Amino acid sequence: MYSHQLLYRTHNCGELCKKDIGKEVVLSGWIQKLRNLGSLTFIDIRDYFGITQLIFSKKRKKNTESELGKEFIIKVRGKVVERVSKNYKIPTGEIEVLVSQIEVLNSSISTPFLIEDQTDGDEKSRMKYRYLDIRRNPIKNNLKLRHNISLEIRNFLSQNGFLEIETPVLINHTPEGARSFVVPSRIHSGKFYSLPQSPQLFKQLLMIGGIDKYFQIVKCFRDEDARSDRQIEFTQIDCEMGFVCVSDVLIFFENFIKHIFQKIKNIQLETFTRITYSDAIRMYGTDKPDLRFGMKFVELNDLVRKKEIEFFQKQELTMGITVPKCSYYTCNQINLMIEWMKKQPKIGIEDIFWLKYFPDKTLLSPMSKFMKNEDIITFVKHFKANPGDLLFIFYGKKTRNQLRQLRLVEMAHRLNLKKTKEFKPLWVTDFPLLEWNEEIQRYKPFHHPFTNPKEEDLPFLEKYPENIRSQSYDLIINGVEIGGGSIRIHNKNIQNLILKHLGLSKQEIQSKFGFFIKAFEYGVPPHGGIAFGLDRLIAILEGKENIKEFIAFPKNNSGKDIMINAPSFLEMKK
């Protein structure tokens, strides 16, 4: 007799094995597969834990097929027996359950897509019926992974003295870069709350409050266009530390990321590379360089002036890139690449020259029509090219952008250089503090307005704010921004001056940030922090680009939840 607690199951569908042969068991779950072999019927029953094969003998078969269907929820009672045709790919593959009693707990209509690891459902239908998608192992396992990573994050930070503290979700609007979502107040007619883009000011206030180390795995909201690596609501690993400088933060959180990779994927990361923002732009044309492959930019302006190569001397900027071991590309293949780039409106290409440096050290290039052979050889030496390499030379105003597209989009894709199981993290530091916005004719913060300038640049803050570098840093892994942060301003005068540079009047500063500026009068410790995108971190660990696969109920790329039909219109009360 089974007790009430064991009414639905004595075991789950993923745990029975050879040692359980002979036991009477009760299992409950969804029907994954139904197979009729004449005298026998086989059913694969599935729950959260796994799959077990059920077998019905001829005398038990009777109305089984007409009563049952895929995704029906059933409860069965039976005896564990050894399986004749074993399946060593699953933990329960050496046994099956000979069913003596079956009960349908709930029926199911036909599903809109296959509940299989390799489904036939497109993204739209999978988002609309997300609760069915979660039944599939890939999504279920992604959610398990997310849980394990979150648990590891909490354990690591807690053991290192961080205190997990919740911050408010209904706040006042403060300009932080992206658009905010607003919530109308019923009690205070005409007034609105704002949903936080990040807990930035509150975590700084916690430092002012004397909390030494804070963290929070927190929901954030930004009213911006969604895409594969961005959601309008997303989860952030938010951290702040008191009495730290840039190196303190980078060292600690480098160890943090290494710990996560080691515990979750058993991957030992090497020491993170560090480069400045200006070097990243100069060498790669982006502040998010992918270091899994080389192909750094080669600047040629000084060389063409020195060699007095007239054609290139007239150009604003001449640069190049070496593509290793690709001199075998045909002229047609190269021209197709160039034509593709010319069709991309964001690249703004003017023209490209190519140069093949064959393994026998002979050269082929359309530049030979207007350049001496010795000058072409000089180019090859300047590029430090090896026999077998293919060189591209760009000129014009948007040369760095052209090279970035060639390096990332064309060559990395064509040569399969983006290895998903290879990880190359780097810190990009010293971002500009402010950037001029032509549209609104004033400065905007490059990150946010609470970032501390570099000490050596402070003398220029009053008159030359565009030249100021900040004590900021981003963590980039494989060309994706995983996190970013900075040392914060702890000097009231500097904070007021930066807000003034952003075009805010004294009244606006008081209205938007009065509570924060007031706190500066009570002693603000030096402090800094960082925030990591949890969704992106998990996707990177799994070698994926689409973060929706790691979120239980994501929005689509239009910011809609098509399962619950949100957003929707509100009904007016009569």
Side-chain angles (χ1 to χ4, degrees):
M1 196 74 180
Y2 293 97
S3 67
H4 179 71
Q5 286 85 351
L6 301 179
L7 175 64
Y8 289 114
R9 56 189 181 189
T10 58
H11 299 77
N12 66 55
C13 295
E15 68 175 305
L16 294 172
C17 57
K18 283 186 77 173
K19 67 179 178 60
D20 298 303
I21 289 174
K23 288 182 181 178
E24 285 286 329
V25 298
V26 177
L27 299 179
S28 293
W30 288 263
I31 294 177
Q32 178 80 18
K33 289 180 181 176
L34 258 168
R35 300 183 300 283
N36 176 17
L37 299 183
S39 62
L40 295 174
T41 294
F42 294 93
I43 290 179
D44 286 350
I45 184 174
R46 181 196 73 239
D47 65 5
Y48 172 84
F49 302 96
I51 290 177
T52 297
Q53 180 168 284
L54 310 177
I55 182 170
F56 294 78
S57 64
K58 188 174 183 179
K59 62 180 180 180
R60 281 295 323 150
K61 189 171 179 268
K62 292 186 179 179
N63 299 322
T64 297
E65 290 177 77
S66 60
E67 294 175 355
L68 302 177
K70 280 188 175 184
E71 298 306 309
F72 277 43
I73 302 177
I74 58 174
K75 183 182 90 171
V76 297
R77 181 170 295 175
K79 185 178 181 180
V80 181
V81 297
E82 187 168 2
R83 188 164 165 175
V84 176
S85 178
K86 295 180 174 58
N87 178 3
Y88 294 104
K89 293 181 180 179
I90 60 174
T92 62
E94 293 184 84
I95 59 92
E96 57 194 3
V97 175
L98 181 61
V99 175
S100 59
Q101 184 179 338
I102 183 168
E103 178 184 348
V104 175
L105 301 177
N106 236 320
S107 61
S108 172
I109 62 173
S110 271
T111 57
F113 50 83
L114 291 174
I115 311 299
E116 302 279 358
D117 290 1
Q118 299 297 323
T119 183
D120 59 350
D122 58 20
E123 185 175 276
K124 184 178 179 180
S125 61
R126 289 173 51 225
M127 293 301 102
K128 185 174 182 180
Y129 300 96
R130 186 62 164 179
Y131 46 88
L132 296 179
D133 202 30
I134 290 172
R135 293 182 187 178
R136 299 192 310 113
N137 282 326
I139 303 302
K140 179 183 69 179
N141 291 337
N142 286 346
L143 297 180
K144 286 182 181 179
L145 174 67
R146 187 184 182 99
H147 164 78
N148 291 334
I149 291 175
S150 298
L151 194 62
E152 203 56 53
I153 289 166
R154 283 192 164 93
N155 288 339
F156 183 88
L157 293 175
S158 299
Q159 289 165 10
N160 281 276
F162 283 75
L163 193 63
E164 184 170 13
I165 302 175
E166 292 182 343
T167 52
V169 174
L170 295 175
I171 64 172
N172 197 25
H173 173 70
T174 55
E176 290 190 56
R179 290 180 294 272
S180 295
F181 285 99
V182 294
V183 180
S185 170
R186 177 184 60 83
I187 300 171
H188 307 283
S189 181
K191 293 187 176 182
F192 294 83
Y193 296 103
S194 179
L195 299 181
Q197 295 182 30
S198 79
Q200 183 61 45
L201 293 182
F202 288 100
K203 66 179 179 179
Q204 290 191 240
L205 289 169
L206 286 171
M207 297 299 105
I208 298 171
I211 301 298
D212 194 66
K213 296 183 182 76
Y214 140 94
F215 86 97
Q216 185 180 187
I217 300 178
V218 60
K219 278 280 190 181
C220 300
F221 307 87
R222 294 181 186 176
D223 187 7
E224 57 187 5
D225 295 337
R227 58 190 189 205
S228 63
D229 66 343
R230 178 187 290 169
Q231 287 271 294
I232 58 175
E233 60 171 308
F234 58 95
T235 305
Q236 202 166 269
I237 310 163
D238 201 55
C239 307
E240 199 77 5
M241 308 164 76
F243 301 101
V244 290
C245 60
V246 169
S247 61
D248 295 324
V249 178
L250 298 194
I251 290 169
F252 179 83
F253 285 103
E254 181 168 324
N255 288 332
F256 165 74
I257 293 295
K258 285 179 176 178
H259 174 82
I260 297 299
F261 272 76
Q262 180 68 54
K263 293 290 286 188
I264 301 298
K265 303 294 285 186
N266 196 28
I267 293 171
Q268 185 67 50
L269 294 176
E270 297 176 358
T271 300
F272 294 8
T273 302
R274 294 188 192 182
I275 60 174
T276 64
Y277 168 83
S278 58
D279 282 344
I281 297 298
R282 180 176 58 83
M283 293 189 293
Y284 301 103
T286 175
D287 57 1
K288 302 174 185 60
D290 191 336
L291 299 190
R292 285 174 293 179
F293 49 97
M295 294 193 286
K296 292 181 183 177
F297 298 172
V298 179
E299 296 190 6
L300 299 168
N301 274 25
D302 291 343
L303 180 66
V304 297
R305 290 192 187 102
K306 182 180 177 181
K307 290 292 181 178
E308 296 183 348
I309 302 172
E310 185 178 353
F311 178 84
F312 289 114
Q313 276 185 300
K314 298 174 184 177
Q315 310 306 325
E316 184 174 317
L317 182 61
T318 304
M319 299 183 69
I321 194 169
T322 303
V323 185
K325 300 177 182 178
C326 283
S327 64
Y328 64 86
Y329 271 40
T330 65
C331 294
N332 186 51
Q333 285 177 302
I334 294 171
N335 289 331
L336 284 173
M337 278 194 289
I338 292 172
E339 287 304 312
W340 176 86
M341 295 183 73
K342 284 182 176 180
K343 291 176 183 176
Q344 308 306 306
K346 292 184 179 179
I347 299 180
I349 193 169
E350 294 184 23
D351 214 339
I352 310 174
F353 288 112
W354 51 265
L355 193 163
K356 295 185 186 184
Y357 185 26
F358 292 110
D360 62 0
K361 298 187 178 180
T362 56
L363 300 168
L364 178 65
S365 173
M367 292 188 297
S368 58
K369 295 176 184 177
F370 61 88
M371 280 179 64
K372 301 174 185 174
N373 191 57
E374 62 187 61
D375 288 335
I376 295 177
I377 293 172
T378 301
F379 269 29
V380 172
K381 290 179 179 178
H382 190 76
F383 274 84
K384 297 181 180 177
N386 296 310
D389 289 349
L390 172 64
L391 280 57
F392 285 98
I393 296 165
F394 292 69
Y395 59 87
K397 295 179 181 179
K398 298 181 180 179
T399 301
R400 291 188 199 280
N401 188 42
Q402 297 165 9
L403 280 175
R404 179 177 67 85
Q405 292 289 333
L406 176 67
R407 178 181 182 272
L408 275 179
V409 181
E410 269 295 296
M411 302 318 301
H413 174 70
R414 285 176 180 270
L415 301 175
N416 193 29
L417 298 176
K418 296 184 177 183
K419 308 294 185 184
T420 57
K421 294 184 179 180
E422 183 180 349
F423 301 95
K424 292 289 184 181
L426 79 149
W427 293 108
V428 179
T429 65
D430 300 355
F431 286 83
L433 183 69
L434 304 170
E435 58 181 340
W436 182 256
N437 187 298
E438 286 291 342
E439 189 176 329
I440 59 177
Q441 286 293 297
R442 64 170 183 258
Y443 290 107
K444 288 185 68 177
F446 202 88
H447 277 152
H448 58 64
F450 317 109
T451 301
N452 210 24
K454 288 183 74 72
E455 293 287 337
E456 57 267 39
D457 291 353
L458 278 174
F460 310 106
L461 184 58
E462 181 78 50
K463 294 185 178 179
Y464 307 102
E466 67 276 6
N467 295 331
I468 306 298
R469 296 166 298 164
S470 64
Q471 297 185 51
S472 55
Y473 31 82
D474 280 359
L475 177 64
I476 311 299
I477 302 180
N478 296 356
V480 177
E481 180 188 336
I482 298 301
S486 66
I487 300 301
R488 322 303 186 186
I489 298 166
H490 62 276
N491 180 292
K492 181 180 178 181
N493 294 332
I494 293 174
Q495 185 64 81
N496 275 321
L497 182 55
I498 287 174
L499 293 174
K500 179 182 172 185
H501 279 315
L502 298 178
L504 298 175
S505 65
K506 287 184 178 180
Q507 292 78 12
E508 286 174 316
I509 293 173
Q510 181 59 35
S511 169
K512 297 178 185 295
F513 301 106
F515 70 97
F516 187 62
I517 299 299
K518 182 67 177 177
F520 275 66
E521 297 176 2
Y522 296 98
V524 179
H527 61 287
I530 193 167
F532 300 96
L534 178 61
D535 314 304
R536 286 187 186 178
L537 177 60
I538 299 170
I540 279 286
L541 277 162
E542 288 296 286
K544 305 295 183 182
E545 294 183 359
N546 194 340
I547 64 173
K548 289 194 283 290
E549 299 299 304
F550 304 91
I551 299 171
F553 299 101
K555 307 291 188 290
N556 68 11
N557 283 0
S558 299
K560 294 180 178 179
D561 187 327
I562 59 175
M563 182 182 69
I564 62 173
N565 194 29
S568 59
F569 292 104
L570 290 178
E571 292 183 13
M572 298 297 292
K573 285 191 175 182
K574 295 181 181 179

